[in-house]
């Protein structure tokens, strides 16, 4: 065996291993080594029919004898799933053989392999697009870019159809690179092939991106749309505009391209229905215009019914349910979500189903229906794992973690949130949940690490009514009240103001920001501010403010700060009932402790005894669940009672 590219070989393969491989290969005939070298360029696995036309001056029978020699030496092995299919027994053997070739020889071999396989596969070449794209890419210096781009496009589309998002992104990126088309930026596209590649790349990115990266993905959609719209290709322009991008309420400019696409379609057509469905989502989630969004959804549903299109109906209802959730309309959210889930039993529209199950999960534990929420969360996680989409799977893991933590199952919650962070390490929603979990259980150093990451994400997020701002606005005051660490309250105030001054504010994010300001008023004993937020937050009675505290406890604490202690006790009783019904034990423990404070201050007959009972219950729960900060808080109250 010749040394070939010795420097590269030395880096990759330890000397002892290389010597063992070299000795084994040196015992083979020259013809066998030559044939195996060609096979190594095909890949770790190869077929007799692929190798036969590539090995010159040898019959198939003779080639079989050569392969028998390699089999006997255990350099290769037969694969059981098909006759004539082989595999190198170790990847290092394949790499060793490949590295013996000069760059020029490798490129020429990849070119021969690509062209031979393309001819071999014939009319079925599209089914082998990924394999052909691989060889044409490595043969680019010899064969050019035409076939490379052709098969990269085909391979990318096939990967998208199989929900193989990362693989699809790789194929489209390779095609774009071959055409020298940058994936980031706003430069116009030269032709339809470039637009097709970029549209494919953008769709793949929706399955691999984190939410904070959404603007880059949107720019790719916009560039593809602008090309098609500018060239009068209405079919492809509409396809781009109606593609659903799961990125929350980020204002990206997609509303405008959907509006432009609507001018290209016939009134009452199925294309208009899909665009109206997409338009309703943008108007409701991004622009904050609920009435206009409902008008668009109603028109889309009318078209779906006229056309008998269940898929359009499901997607429209799922989008409408999502908008209703962020408008704090739980009944409408659940009704529409359950309708989609029912329709999904008779079809295969997975994207609508996963969206509906996410909305159903959210609203069920928002309203304290924990067992039903758990059923939906389990189904959601199964769907998320099947799709492999980073957004949906991350959301599924996040909500499964929320439910576990709400019931005090910190171990399961931590495992799930860590899986979610592995997928999306800079997702604000997931980070807030991770912060809260660690602080609740007294792991302050880990909680602080997550909090620093959350603040970094917020600092690099464009200002607006986004999760990074809204949830930080509430999380920091909650932590400050629990730990007494007040140094970051100014950041929470800024985050709240960013959210509340937005012209496209949705009720859900308004609630989070106002709760944050309300909790700051509680911490600082600001009566007037507490009264202002109390008046503005009456819509949170009987719900769990996402995803940590009952609305009734927030209102109770605000009423206490206002000096309205009787009113506070009413809210505390409602919070206790909500937590007991839902099985939300950590929140129950906090409610018991805070309620005891109000009773001790009111000090009416029977209040001291009830406060003692509440503190005992809070201590029992917090001790069992390992909630160290709350345990310390309760013990300090009990000392006051003893004094």
């Amino acid at each position: 065996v010749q040394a070939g590219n010795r420097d590269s070989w030395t880096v990759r393969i330890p000397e002892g291993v290389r010597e063992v491989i070299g000795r084994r290969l040196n015992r083979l005939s020259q013809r066998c080594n030559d044939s195996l070298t060609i096979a190594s360029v095909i890949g770790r696995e190869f077929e007799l029919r692929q190798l036969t036309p590539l090995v010159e001056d040898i019959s198939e029978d003779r080639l079989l004898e050569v392969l028998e020699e390699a089999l006997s030496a255990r350099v290769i092995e037969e694969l059981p799933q098909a006759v004539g299919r082989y595999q190198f027994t170790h990847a290092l053997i394949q790499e060793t053989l490949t590295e013996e070739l000069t760059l020029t020889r490798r490129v020429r071999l990849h070119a021969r392999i690509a062209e031979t396989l393309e001819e071999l596969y014939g009319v079925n070449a599209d089914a082998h697009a990924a394999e052909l794209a691989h060889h044409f890419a490595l043969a680019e210096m010899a064969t050019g870019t035409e076939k490379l781009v052709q098969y990269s496009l085909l391979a990318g589309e096939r990967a998208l159809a199989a929900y193989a998002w990362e693989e699809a992104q790789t194929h489209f990126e390779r095609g774009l690179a071959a055409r020298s088309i940058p994936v980031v930026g706003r430069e116009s596209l030269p032709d339809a092939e470039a637009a097709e590649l970029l549209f494919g790349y953008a769709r793949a990115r929706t399955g691999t991106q984190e939410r904070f990266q959404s603007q880059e993905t949107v720019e790719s959609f916009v560039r593809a749309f602008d090309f098609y719209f500018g060239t009068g290709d209405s079919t492809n322009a509409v396809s781009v505009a109606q593609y659903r991008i799961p990125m929350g309420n980020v204002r990206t400019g997609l509303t405008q391209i959907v509006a432009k696409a609507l001018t290209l379609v016939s009134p009452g057509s199925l294309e208009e229905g899909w665009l109206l469905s997409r338009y309703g989502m943008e108007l409701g989630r991004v622009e904050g215009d609920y009435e206009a969004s409902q008008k668009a959804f109603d028109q889309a549903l009318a078209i779906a019914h006229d056309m008998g299109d269940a898929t359009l109906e499901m997607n429209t209802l799922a989008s409408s349910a999502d908008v209703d959730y962020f408008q704090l309309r739980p009944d409408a959210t659940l009704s529409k979500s359950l309708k989609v889930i029912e329709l999904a039993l008779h079809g295969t529209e997975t994207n609508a189903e996963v969206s509906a199950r996410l909305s159903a999960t959210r609203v069920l534990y928002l309203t304290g229906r924990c067992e039903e929420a758990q059923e939906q969360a389990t189904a959601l996680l199964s769907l998320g794992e099947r799709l492999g989409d980073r957004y949906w799977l991350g959301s599924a893991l996040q909500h499964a973690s929320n439910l576990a933590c709400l019931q005090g199952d910190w171990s399961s919650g931590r495992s799930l949130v860590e899986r979610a962070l592995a997928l999306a390490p800079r997702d604000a929603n997931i980070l807030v949940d991770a912060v809260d979990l660690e602080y609740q259980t007294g792991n302050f150093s880990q909680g602080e690490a997550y909090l620093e990451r959350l603040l970094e994400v917020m600092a690099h997020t464009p200002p607006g009514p986004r999760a990074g701002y809204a949830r930080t606005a509430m999380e920091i005051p909650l932590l400050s009240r629990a730990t007494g660490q007040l140094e970051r309250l100014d950041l929470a105030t800024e985050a709240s103001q960013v959210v509340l001054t937005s012209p496209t504010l949705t009720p859900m994010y308004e609630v989070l920001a106002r709760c944050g300001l309300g909790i700051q008023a509680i911490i600082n004993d600001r009566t007037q501010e507490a009264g202002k937020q109390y008046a503005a937050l009456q819509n949170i009675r009987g719900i769990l403010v996402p995803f940590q505290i009952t609305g009734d406890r927030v209102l109770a604490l605000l009423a206490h700060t206002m000096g309205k202690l009787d009113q506070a006790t009413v809210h505390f009783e409602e919070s206790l009932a909500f937590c007991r019904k839902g099985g939300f034990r950590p929140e129950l423990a906090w409610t018991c402790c805070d309620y005891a404070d109000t009773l001790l201050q009111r000090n009416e007959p029977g209040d001291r005894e009830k406060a003692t009972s509440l503190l005992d219950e809070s201590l029992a729960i917090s001790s069992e669940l390992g909630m160290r900060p709350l345990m310390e808080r309760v013990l300090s109250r009990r000392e006051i009672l003893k004094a």
Side-chain angles (χ1 to χ4, degrees), residues 159-440:
L160 282 178
Y163 306 122
W165 307 102
E166 272 117 359
E167 181 186 341
Q169 183 175 329
T170 298
H171 290 307
F172 290 121
E173 283 178 335
R174 183 171 52 203
L176 288 164
R179 291 290 316 276
S180 300
I181 306 294
V183 296
V184 178
R186 299 187 179 182
E187 72 173 48
S188 58
L189 300 172
D191 52 44
E193 183 181 71
E196 190 177 359
L197 283 165
L198 196 63
F199 181 37
Y201 167 78
R203 284 177 288 152
R205 282 282 291 168
T206 64
T208 62
Q209 71 181 11
E210 290 190 61
R211 271 174 262 211
F212 77 96
Q213 299 170 315
S214 58
Q215 189 61 48
E216 176 189 320
T217 305
V218 168
E219 287 175 1
S220 297
F221 277 101
V222 171
R223 287 165 69 199
F225 175 84
D226 286 347
F227 174 83
Y228 290 131
F229 189 83
T231 57
D233 185 347
S234 59
T235 300
N236 279 314
V238 168
S239 294
V240 174
Q242 73 182 30
Y243 192 84
R244 181 175 179 181
I245 310 171
M247 58 180 55
N249 64 324
V250 180
R251 201 169 197 184
T252 57
L254 284 175
T255 310
Q256 288 70 36
I257 75 167
V258 178
K260 288 171 72 175
L262 279 165
T263 67
L264 301 174
V265 298
S266 302
S269 65
L270 203 54
E271 290 80 8
E272 185 188 40
W274 279 103
L275 286 171
L276 286 167
S277 181
R278 186 78 183 86
Y279 198 42
M281 183 70 159
E282 288 294 314
L283 290 170
R285 281 293 301 276
V286 179
E287 304 300 330
D289 190 340
Y290 184 72
E291 289 186 8
S293 76
Q294 294 311 294
K295 182 179 177 181
F297 286 138
D298 287 344
Q299 290 177 281
L301 286 171
I303 292 172
H305 294 153
D306 288 345
M307 296 287 188
D309 193 306
T311 303
L312 173 57
E313 180 184 6
M314 288 172 66
N315 278 274
T316 303
L317 286 171
S319 295
S320 185
D322 186 271
V323 169
D324 282 327
Y325 172 76
F326 282 89
Q327 291 287 330
L328 276 179
R329 297 170 183 262
D331 292 341
T333 303
L334 188 59
S335 173
K336 293 170 186 176
S337 297
L338 293 179
K339 176 65 173 175
V340 175
I341 293 165
E342 179 187 347
L343 289 170
L345 297 174
H346 310 290
T348 57
E349 179 44 43
T350 310
N351 284 318
E353 184 185 357
V354 73
S355 176
R357 288 197 185 274
L358 175 59
S359 294
T361 301
R362 285 167 165 167
V363 81
L364 284 167
Y365 70 77
L366 185 85
T367 53
R369 297 161 66 175
C370 199
E371 288 187 11
E372 294 172 77
Q374 188 65 63
E375 290 177 14
Q376 293 296 338
T378 301
L380 173 63
L381 185 54
S382 176
L383 278 170
E385 288 171 337
R386 190 197 316 169
L387 287 172
D389 178 298
R390 187 184 297 266
Y391 177 90
W392 292 125
L393 182 53
S395 295
L397 289 165
Q398 176 206 349
H399 288 289
S401 172
N402 280 332
L403 281 167
C405 291
L406 285 168
Q407 297 168 84
D409 184 355
W410 307 116
S411 177
S412 295
R414 183 174 285 109
S415 174
L416 289 161
V417 85
E418 286 174 354
R419 284 179 62 193
L421 284 172
L423 280 173
R426 292 169 59 84
D427 186 295
N429 280 309
I430 301 171
L431 281 169
V432 168
D433 294 337
V435 170
D436 193 65
L437 187 159
E438 300 301 347
Y439 272 95
Q440 287 264 32

Side-chain angles (χ1 to χ4, degrees), residues 538-595:
Q538 288 303 300
N539 59 343
I540 65 174
R541 295 185 73 165
I543 67 169
L544 186 76
V545 180
F547 298 100
Q548 297 149 290
I549 183 172
T550 63
D552 292 301
R553 180 157 73 97
V554 174
L555 293 171
L557 291 168
L558 288 168
H560 182 130
T561 304
M562 294 157 58
K564 298 182 177 182
L565 302 184
D566 290 343
Q567 200 166 320
T569 62
V570 172
H571 290 303
F572 276 127
E573 287 292 340
E574 289 174 346
S575 182
L576 288 176
F578 183 92
C579 292
R580 294 191 200 284
K581 179 183 175 183
F584 301 144
R585 298 183 71 212
E587 178 61 10
L588 174 61
W590 276 102
T591 299
C592 287
C593 181
D594 289 338
Y595 191 3

Side-chain angles (χ1 to χ4, degrees), residues 475-515:
E475 177 65 13
I476 289 177
L478 280 174
L479 293 181
S480 297
R481 183 171 182 273
T483 64
Q485 299 171 5
L486 310 182
E487 60 272 11
R488 289 194 175 100
L489 286 177
D490 287 346
L491 288 173
T493 302
E494 292 173 15
S496 292
Q497 293 304 325
V498 165
V499 173
L500 293 173
T501 56
S502 169
T504 60
L505 182 61
T506 58
M508 179 63 74
Y509 286 148
E510 180 182 1
V511 159
L512 291 169
R514 288 195 178 281
C515 281

